[in-house]
Amino acid sequence: MSTNSYRNGGSGSRGGAMKFENYSNNNSKYSPSSSFKSKVQQSAAAASTLRRSSPGTGRDDSTISARVRVAVRLRPRNSEEMAADADFADCVELQSELKRLKLQKNNWDSDTYEFDEVLTEFASQKRVYEVVAKPVVESVLDGYNGTVMAYGQTGTGKTYTLGQLGEEDAADRGIMLRAMEDILAEVSPENDLISVSYLQLYMETIQDLLNPSNDNIAIVEDPKSGDVSLPGATLVEIRDHRSFMELLQLGEAHRFAANTRLNAESSRSHAILMVHVKRSVRGKTSPFSSENGNMTPMGKTLKPPIIRKSKLVIVDLAGSERIDKSGSEGHTLEEAKSINLSLSALGKCINALAENRAHVPVRDSKLTRLLRDSFGGTARTSLVITIGPSPRHRGETSSTIMFGQRAMKVENMVKLKEEFDYKSLSRKLEIQLDKLIAEHERQQKAFENEIERITLEAQKRVAEVEQNYADAFEKEKVKCQKDYMESVKRLEEQSAAKQENNGHKKFKDGLSDNGTDQKSNSQSQPPVPPTSSEVTKIKQKLNDEILLRKAAEAEVDNLNNQLIHWKNMESARNSEISKLRKMLEDEECGKAKLEEEIEMLQSQLLQISFEADQSRRNLDKRLSGEAPSSLDSLIPRVKDQQLREPGDGEKASVVKLFEQVGLHKILSLLQSEDADVRIHAVKVVANLAAEESNQEKIVHAGGLTSLLALLKSSNDETIHRVAAGAIANLAMNETNQELIMSQGGISLLSLTATKAEDPQTLRMVAGAIANLCGNDKLQIKLRAEGGIRALLGMVRCRHPDVLAQVARGIANFAKCESRASNQGTKTGKSVLIEDGALPWIVQNANNEASPIRRHIELALCHLAQHGKYLTAFYVYLIKIQDGQIYGKPKMLDFFVTEVNAREMINGGALWELVRISRDCSREDIRALAHRTLKSSSGFQAELKRLRIDYG
């Protein structure tokens, strides 16, 4: 790379903010239930509308057509070119103001090309960033995917343009650092997340520059959307610019480079920086509406949180080179071939896209698969092609220019992808629900206190009125009785006085009638009647008494009427209290229904989160392509828990379900009559089985038995796939492996393998059998119950994931066989050779899929070591002493018996072992194959016969 310095300046920034609204409402004092019910109904209507408007995955805004933008940058002459080409003019002439480039064909003729930007040798790093990468970075901040890529001959300044750190001079900073500065200045640390992966594509193998042990990362393509992802790569969260610079320094230290004639530090790999941006934005301004289309207060304030996820990919391609000019030899030559092949595949794809061909060969190289979204996909792409001025490299410069011209014809359909933040929405709904419940409880308590107060007041008033009426009635009654008694007494006294007056008068009259007897006179004369005045007085008194009595009776009737009135009022109060109690009961029923509906909404949100977590977990498992085993060759997962997203630190919804419901209840759902319930239950058990801490609990609670019973009884392909995956997880434990075998698990897995057609089901079954193949104690029983035949029968699928699991099982079985043979516990040929596995092993020993090839290479090495044991010849030295025969054995010679050597030689395995010992990318496997060939007399004899020197 050139050592010339380019100038740079500052960069602008944009700002943004996000505001959340709080929900509040006032309610009347005596109607808490109706207010609470209306609020919860409005919340449920808003959530229901949200579910109908978005079923839970995400949504795409309108598609925008965007052509690939191409800029050309000219490198100034370096010291070598100044000395060698001093007498020759530059082959390139730039017209930056017209955005044109002239390439001199000879002294008389030249070709003219137009680009989106033409950058002279004096263009600063700031200028390059602003015209090439800044529009892409702004699109990424707005939610679109973006790609910035550099292409050109080796030594023309690609790495300088993209990855220069500018440690000595800040003006020399490249596109990577400047892009991250703009991104960090724009995002909010509280609400947004920036994470970075740094990879290199070396010899068609994707390696992690942040974790060199992770040297074979798989590419995963979404079958629906076609999106490409690398879940196996290390993902680092970025908080500040300093940590990002340290990350780039770490990655550059692990990148492959070599010294060639064209460049003292020539990059021998394609470097790929992936920046994942996750931003929170405000929801749409349109409010939610209820079922009848009317806006609700809850809909006006509850706006759906939206997450925009975008990705910025910066690709520093390795430089194209001609072997005769670069002087590459040996391993450097192989690297150059790999680089040129991948760049050639990229050129073919761009040619096909520029000419609108029906077929684009994106699967010819891993580089084209990685850049599938950048050319003809949904990303906004900028390409900078770097060229040199030297006329000695006119051919390479012309090829680079034509590559840029063809790339300008490629059209991308840029899409804005958004998805709802269901976790944030769930938290917001829970907060609103807690507020409504608290308000309801407060108003309900106030309502009950008011009812109690009214009841006590009514009872007190009724008691007072009754007491007053009783006292008044008693007083009036006593008064009337007293007046009546006085009137009677006065009448009696008057009557007695009149009688006495009449008696005296009669006596005087008798004395005046000549001695006539008083008695006889009195008897013969009638009594004198009272006078009219006396009678009138008596009548008047009687009338007064009658009037008083009637007045008393009227007063009593009035009191009785008032008592009846108050009793009616009390009855009405009791009726009102009964109605209020009935209303309270109705409100309790309504509250219970609303709580059920809220629980349903929460369960639906939980199910959505659970399905997302399950999809991510299944995706991670699919990417790994293999379950952990005892093989030392398996690639470990190196993702550090601290480098994950903050959302990963929260409890997964499956764990919440496990804690709330309980394992026994979840396992009981495996026997449900409803097929959907069984499917969801077995998915939950499978996710729980993926965690080592849950495996013992599942087995102890009978989960393994239930899973095996599902394999036996169910005909559903989904249940077979998920149950087999759960059994594969449980089969990672040696104790569980013996339980699986004792319960007939291998027979059930073998039967499932013969019936299944889905590649994912076969992959799960093959993974479970492969785990069992790694147990030394189960070898004989595994073969007897058809495990090896089932494993070999699954190669009919030809899916690379299935073949990788089959290869892993064969490698595990061969390793256990070799160990048992060397320990003397097993003799004879390998079971794998007897069952006909050798032809398939040899055929796939050089498979293009790295997991398949690596396991097959291990299996071949273990098969070659199987059956090596010593056979010795002994003689007895006999002597006769005292008539007795004494014998002592003496070993004369011994030889090594190799029971698999002849079959492997005839089957072509010897040549594969030789190839592995020389060309295998894994040093440990290469050394194992070399030791195996050297220690085998049969192989050495065959190599000697063929005159192949292999010491």
Side-chain angles (χ1 to χ4, degrees):
M1 180 178 293
S2 173
T3 58
N4 290 281
S5 172
Y6 298 111
R7 296 182 179 271
N8 181 31
S11 61
S13 63
R14 303 180 304 164
M18 183 167 58
K19 180 180 178 182
F20 293 95
E21 298 180 4
N22 293 323
Y23 173 76
S24 61
N25 192 12
N26 296 323
N27 301 289
S28 61
K29 184 176 181 181
Y30 300 110
S31 59
S33 58
S34 60
S35 174
F36 174 78
K37 185 174 181 180
S38 63
K39 286 184 180 180
V40 178
Q41 286 177 346
Q42 292 166 1
S43 177
S48 176
T49 305
L50 174 59
R51 292 196 304 272
R52 290 194 301 272
S53 63
S54 176
T57 56
R59 52 199 179 105
D60 293 341
D61 285 346
S62 58
T63 303
I64 303 172
S65 176
R67 178 178 58 80
V68 175
R69 299 183 73 257
V70 181
V72 60
R73 186 181 194 185
L74 177 64
R75 171 182 59 78
R77 287 195 178 194
N78 53 33
S79 57
E80 180 183 354
E81 291 172 345
M82 288 180 180
D85 301 334
D87 298 333
F88 298 93
D90 293 347
C91 66
V92 175
E93 178 185 351
L94 301 183
Q95 297 176 347
S96 56
E97 65 280 359
L98 299 178
K99 298 182 181 180
R100 290 179 183 174
L101 178 147
K102 286 187 177 182
L103 177 64
Q104 297 292 334
K105 298 172 64 177
N106 48 49
N107 293 333
W108 305 276
D109 194 11
S110 63
D111 292 330
T112 302
Y113 305 95
E114 292 186 358
F115 290 93
D116 293 306
E117 292 292 340
V118 174
L119 303 168
T120 66
E121 64 270 28
F122 304 106
S124 65
Q125 290 282 71
K126 175 186 176 183
R127 169 66 177 165
V128 174
Y129 170 73
E130 289 180 346
V131 301
V132 174
K134 189 167 185 178
V136 178
V137 173
E138 291 177 348
S139 295
V140 170
L141 290 172
D142 290 335
Y144 299 91
N145 289 343
T147 302
V148 178
M149 187 170 67
Y151 176 90
Q153 183 188 11
T154 182
T156 54
K158 298 182 298 301
T159 304
Y160 178 83
T161 300
L162 297 180
Q164 182 69 11
L165 298 180
E167 296 175 334
E168 298 178 357
D169 186 359
D172 290 341
R173 290 168 300 161
I175 288 177
M176 291 181 180
L177 284 176
R178 295 177 184 273
M180 184 54 68
E181 288 176 357
D182 281 358
I183 292 174
L184 291 174
E186 186 69 17
V187 300
S188 169
E190 293 79 12
N191 301 320
D192 303 335
L193 179 66
I194 307 298
S195 53
V196 171
S197 295
Y198 200 13
L199 315 163
Q200 70 174 352
L201 177 59
Y202 176 72
M203 301 286 285
E204 284 300 299
T205 302
I206 301 177
Q207 301 177 358
D208 198 333
L209 290 175
L210 305 181
N211 185 9
S213 60
N214 194 5
D215 59 354
N216 195 358
I217 300 174
I219 301 175
V220 174
E221 298 180 14
D222 191 329
K224 294 183 179 179
S225 63
D227 293 339
V228 177
S229 59
L230 303 169
T234 302
L235 202 61
V236 181
E237 182 178 346
I238 300 298
R239 291 290 183 181
D240 52 40
H241 186 265
R242 182 178 182 84
S243 62
F244 179 68
M245 180 175 286
E246 293 175 353
L247 181 144
L248 288 183
Q249 291 173 343
L250 176 63
E252 288 299 324
H254 294 148
R255 190 175 177 188
F256 288 102
N259 184 7
T260 66
R261 295 177 186 174
L262 298 177
N263 193 354
E265 294 182 1
S266 175
S267 300
R268 314 309 292 169
S269 65
H270 307 297
I272 303 145
L273 177 70
M274 292 187 177
V275 182
H276 300 269
V277 181
K278 182 179 179 182
R279 304 194 68 191
S280 299
V281 297
R282 294 189 62 179
K284 299 298 181 182
T285 57
S286 59
F288 290 116
S289 59
S290 60
E291 294 292 339
N292 58 5
N294 296 326
M295 297 180 185
T296 62
M298 180 65 70
K300 294 180 181 179
T301 57
L302 182 61
K303 297 181 180 179
I306 295 176
I307 297 296
R308 285 182 178 173
K309 293 182 179 180
S310 56
K311 179 174 63 176
L312 173 62
V313 180
I314 301 178
V315 184
D316 180 11
L317 296 175
S320 60
E321 61 184 49
R322 290 188 179 179
I323 306 302
D324 56 345
K325 291 185 178 182
S326 64
S328 299
E329 296 179 353
H331 188 67
T332 308
L333 177 60
E334 296 299 323
E335 292 174 342
K337 290 180 180 178
S338 176
I339 292 171
N340 290 337
L341 284 175
S342 61
L343 293 177
S344 176
L346 178 60
K348 291 179 181 179
C349 290
I350 291 179
N351 289 342
L353 290 169
E355 297 173 3
N356 292 324
R357 296 179 191 169
H359 173 66
V360 180
V362 293
R363 303 191 68 85
D364 288 356
S365 170
K366 288 189 177 180
L367 176 63
T368 54
R369 292 178 64 189
L370 285 173
L371 299 178
R372 182 175 186 174
D373 192 44
S374 303
F375 292 96
T378 60
R380 190 181 299 275
T381 302
S382 285
L383 171 66
V384 55
I385 59 173
T386 57
I387 59 176
S390 175
R392 290 185 298 165
H393 305 304
R394 181 182 289 107
E396 290 82 353
T397 302
S398 176
S399 176
T400 301
I401 292 172
M402 294 309 299
F403 181 89
Q405 289 288 298
R406 289 189 294 269
M408 291 178 65
K409 299 179 182 179
V410 177
E411 290 281 345
N412 291 350
M413 304 304 292
V414 182
K415 289 184 180 180
L416 174 65
K417 293 186 179 179
E418 297 176 343
E419 63 183 25
F420 290 126
D421 187 0
Y422 287 104
K423 293 182 180 179
S424 174
L425 178 60
S426 176
R427 288 194 296 270
K428 193 169 183 179
L429 288 174
E430 288 176 356
I431 292 173
Q432 297 294 341
L433 179 62
D434 292 340
K435 289 182 179 179
L436 293 175
I437 291 176
E439 180 69 16
H440 169 71
E441 291 177 351
R442 184 187 66 79
Q443 293 183 358
Q444 185 177 11
K445 186 175 181 181
F447 181 67
E448 291 174 353
N449 293 337
E450 185 66 18
I451 290 177
E452 184 177 0
R453 186 186 67 79
I454 293 174
T455 302
L456 292 176
E457 183 178 352
Q459 291 176 354
K460 184 178 180 181
R461 291 181 63 185
V462 169
E464 290 177 355
V465 171
E466 288 179 348
Q467 184 66 33
N468 292 336
Y469 289 161
D471 293 343
F473 180 75
E474 188 66 27
K475 289 180 181 179
E476 191 67 27
K477 180 179 178 182
V478 171
K479 182 181 179 182
C480 291
Q481 289 178 351
K482 186 178 180 181
D483 292 343
Y484 179 75
M485 294 300 296
E486 290 177 354
S487 300
V488 171
K489 187 177 181 180
R490 285 196 304 270
L491 291 175
E492 288 178 353
E493 290 176 355
Q494 291 177 2
S495 177
K498 288 180 179 182
Q499 288 179 1
E500 185 178 356
N501 292 332
N502 291 332
H504 286 294
K505 188 177 180 179
K506 290 178 180 180
F507 178 73
K508 290 177 180 181
D509 292 339
L511 291 178
S512 60
D513 290 337
N514 296 321
T516 303
D517 186 64
Q518 180 181 0
K519 186 177 180 178
S520 60
N521 292 333
S522 61
Q523 291 177 350
S524 60
Q525 294 180 356
V528 180
T531 61
S532 60
S533 61
E534 292 177 349
V535 173
T536 301
K537 290 180 180 179
I538 292 173
K539 287 183 179 180
Q540 183 66 32
K541 289 181 179 181
L542 286 176
N543 290 332
D544 293 339
E545 292 294 334
I546 291 171
L547 292 176
L548 290 172
R549 185 176 182 85
K550 287 182 178 181
E553 290 177 353
E555 185 69 20
V556 170
D557 291 339
N558 186 23
L559 292 175
N560 287 333
N561 290 333
Q562 291 185 7
L563 182 61
I564 292 172
H565 174 70
W566 283 106
K567 287 184 178 180
N568 291 335
M569 289 180 63
E570 181 181 6
S571 177
R573 293 281 185 181
N574 293 334
S575 176
E576 184 178 357
I577 292 172
S578 299
K579 290 181 181 180
L580 292 175
R581 288 176 179 172
K582 184 68 169 58
M583 289 175 62
L584 284 175
E585 292 176 357
D586 294 340
E587 293 298 334
E588 291 293 335
C589 294
K591 178 182 177 182
K593 291 181 181 179
L594 292 174
E595 288 177 351
E596 292 178 359
E597 184 176 356
I598 292 169
E599 289 178 0
M600 181 183 67
L601 294 175
Q602 292 177 342
S603 65
Q604 290 178 357
L605 291 174
L606 182 64
Q607 179 66 21
I608 292 170
S609 178
F610 162 61
E611 290 177 356
D613 292 338
Q614 180 184 2
S615 300
R616 182 175 58 189
R617 189 177 293 110
N618 291 338
L619 189 59
D620 289 339
K621 292 180 181 178
R622 191 179 304 166
L623 293 175
S624 63
E626 50 192 58
S629 68
S630 59
L631 295 176
D632 297 334
S633 61
L634 294 179
I635 301 175
R637 298 180 64 86
V638 198
K639 287 186 178 178
D640 193 337
Q641 189 70 21
Q642 296 179 354
L643 303 181
R644 297 181 180 176
E645 296 182 356
D648 295 338
E650 300 177 0
K651 289 185 178 180
S653 52
V654 176
V655 178
K656 291 183 179 178
L657 184 65
F658 172 58
E659 294 176 350
Q660 295 174 359
V661 178
L663 181 59
H664 289 282
K665 292 185 179 180
I666 295 175
L667 293 177
S668 65
L669 297 177
L670 296 176
Q671 285 80 34
S672 174
E673 296 180 357
D674 191 340
D676 292 335
V677 174
R678 288 199 306 273
I679 290 174
H680 288 300
V682 74
K683 286 181 179 179
V684 173
V685 174
N687 279 278
L688 292 173
E691 300 293 336
E692 186 177 355
S693 58
N694 297 331
Q695 293 178 359
E696 183 178 355
K697 299 177 184 178
I698 293 174
V699 174
H700 182 71
L704 177 59
T705 305
S706 300
L707 292 171
L708 293 173
L710 275 180
L711 280 183
K712 184 177 181 180
S713 60
S714 177
N715 295 323
D716 189 274
E717 185 80 6
T718 302
I719 291 180
H720 285 174
R721 179 175 67 256
V722 181
I727 294 171
N729 289 332
L730 295 175
M732 297 178 187
N733 183 279
E734 185 175 352
T735 303
N736 296 342
Q737 293 173 357
E738 297 178 0
L739 289 175
I740 292 172
M741 294 295 292
S742 64
Q743 296 183 22
I746 192 63
S747 300
L748 292 173
L749 290 171
S750 302
L751 183 62
T752 304
T754 58
K755 294 180 179 179
E757 296 295 337
D758 179 43
Q760 298 306 321
T761 304
L762 291 174
R763 181 174 70 88
M764 297 297 181
V765 175
I769 297 177
N771 289 338
L772 296 174
C773 287
N775 194 320
D776 295 334
K777 304 175 184 178
L778 307 177
Q779 296 282 295
I780 298 175
K781 191 172 182 180
L782 185 68
R783 186 198 183 192
E785 295 187 7
I788 301 301
R789 290 191 299 273
L791 198 65
L792 295 175
M794 282 185 279
V795 301
R796 71 183 187 277
C797 178
R798 299 183 180 276
H799 194 280
D801 292 342
V802 179
L803 298 182
Q805 295 297 332
V806 173
R808 184 170 68 86
I810 290 175
N812 285 345
F813 195 89
K815 184 176 182 179
C816 292
E817 270 195 329
S818 176
R819 187 162 47 235
S821 176
N822 294 333
Q823 293 174 356
T825 58
K826 184 182 184 304
T827 59
K829 292 182 182 179
S830 169
V831 170
L832 295 172
I833 294 179
E834 290 180 353
D835 287 350
L838 186 59
W840 185 82
I841 294 175
V842 174
Q843 181 184 358
N844 288 272
N846 198 18
N847 194 293
E848 62 179 6
S850 177
I852 301 174
R853 182 177 65 255
R854 185 172 67 255
H855 291 308
I856 292 299
E857 289 171 350
L858 283 171
L860 279 173
C861 293
H862 291 310
L863 283 176
Q865 291 182 340
H866 170 74
K868 289 186 178 181
Y869 55 91
L870 297 178
T871 302
F873 287 101
Y874 295 90
V875 296
Y876 280 81
L877 301 178
I878 301 174
K879 70 176 181 177
I880 302 175
Q881 184 178 357
D882 299 332
Q884 298 292 330
I885 300 176
Y886 296 92
K888 182 178 180 181
K890 179 180 180 181
M891 185 175 66
L892 294 182
D893 198 2
F894 68 91
F895 65 92
V896 179
T897 302
E898 299 171 339
V899 295
N900 291 340
R902 181 52 52 190
E903 283 76 6
M904 295 184 70
I905 292 173
N906 294 335
L910 176 59
W911 303 111
E912 294 298 334
L913 283 172
V914 173
R915 181 193 59 79
I916 294 169
S917 67
R918 293 177 177 176
D919 301 332
C920 181
S921 60
R922 290 282 297 269
E923 183 178 355
D924 54 342
I925 301 177
R926 189 167 64 248
L928 179 62
H930 191 270
R931 290 197 305 270
T932 302
L933 290 172
K934 289 186 65 176
S935 62
S936 173
S937 59
F939 290 157
Q940 288 292 320
E942 181 67 16
L943 293 173
K944 186 176 181 180
R945 185 183 68 82
L946 298 173
R947 298 180 180 180
I948 298 176
D949 186 13
Y950 199 91

